[in-house]
Amino acid sequence: MTPEGIDAGVPKGVSSNCLFCQQDDARLNQISHRNSTCFARLDNFPATEGHTEIVPIRHVESFFDLTPEELHDAFALILAVRADLSARLRPEGYTIGVNEGRAAGRSIDHLHIHVIPRRFGDVENAEGGIRRVLPNCDPDVWRAATNVAFDNLDRVLS
């Protein structure tokens, strides 16, 4: 490593020890789509069939550090992957997400956006979706709180 933290002999913005920076290694990355700044790869440990990750070519950790071009290209690949998965697998929904930071569950320090095809019954109860990754995210509690809020609103408006 050079003093700047860049691997010697590796292009700027790429890390030689990063799974996603080795995009051309078919043993590590099965790429389904690409554009000028990002690529889509099948997840090596898919949550469901077709689970795909959108990855910027530039080694960047945070979604918030994407350039406008990278953001545009990432969204374009999300749409392309969705169209492909919808045609091939016909899922009934999608979960799209980013584990932004180690505290959020990121295990590889190179941004990747998950596109996960979903079906009714793939989990016992999908209600609440992505919120269910945290404790205290009980849909019954939300419904009760919503009902109380609307009851109070009705009283105020009456």
Side-chain angles (χ1 to χ4, degrees):
M1 299 285 278
T2 64
E4 298 82 30
I6 305 293
D7 296 324
V10 176
K12 184 177 181 179
V14 173
S15 174
S16 65
N17 60 353
C18 173
L19 167 71
F20 298 142
C21 285
Q22 298 175 53
Q23 65 173 300
D24 294 327
D25 187 337
R27 295 170 301 154
L28 301 174
N29 295 290
Q30 187 177 349
I31 296 176
S32 63
H33 301 77
R34 67 172 76 236
N35 57 31
S36 63
T37 67
C38 298
F39 62 94
R41 66 182 296 280
L42 295 180
D43 189 288
N44 291 346
F45 302 97
T48 65
E49 182 183 4
H51 179 172
T52 302
E53 297 164 326
I54 309 303
V55 182
I57 293 168
R58 180 174 64 99
H59 185 86
V60 58
E61 287 185 24
S62 176
F63 178 84
F64 300 105
D65 291 335
L66 290 177
T67 66
E69 181 184 10
E70 289 168 330
L71 189 58
H72 177 272
D73 286 353
F75 185 66
L77 286 182
I78 289 170
L79 295 177
V81 165
R82 177 185 175 266
D84 178 54
L85 294 174
S86 292
R88 287 189 307 109
L89 302 176
R90 304 209 186 287
E92 296 161 313
Y94 290 89
T95 295
I96 300 169
V98 175
N99 297 320
E100 179 62 37
R102 290 281 174 159
R106 183 182 65 219
S107 57
I108 298 175
D109 291 328
H110 185 138
L111 173 66
H112 48 291
I113 304 165
H114 296 268
V115 179
I116 305 171
R118 301 295 304 274
R119 297 193 179 283
F120 287 111
D122 61 9
V123 295
E124 186 176 326
N125 179 3
E127 188 176 11
I130 203 162
R131 293 172 176 262
R132 298 296 288 268
V133 301
L134 297 171
N136 306 322
C137 287
D138 182 347
D140 293 332
V141 172
W142 305 333
R143 269 192 294 284
T146 300
N147 290 339
V148 167
F150 280 117
D151 289 345
N152 289 338
L153 181 61
D154 286 341
R155 280 189 217 111
V156 169
L157 295 176
S158 305

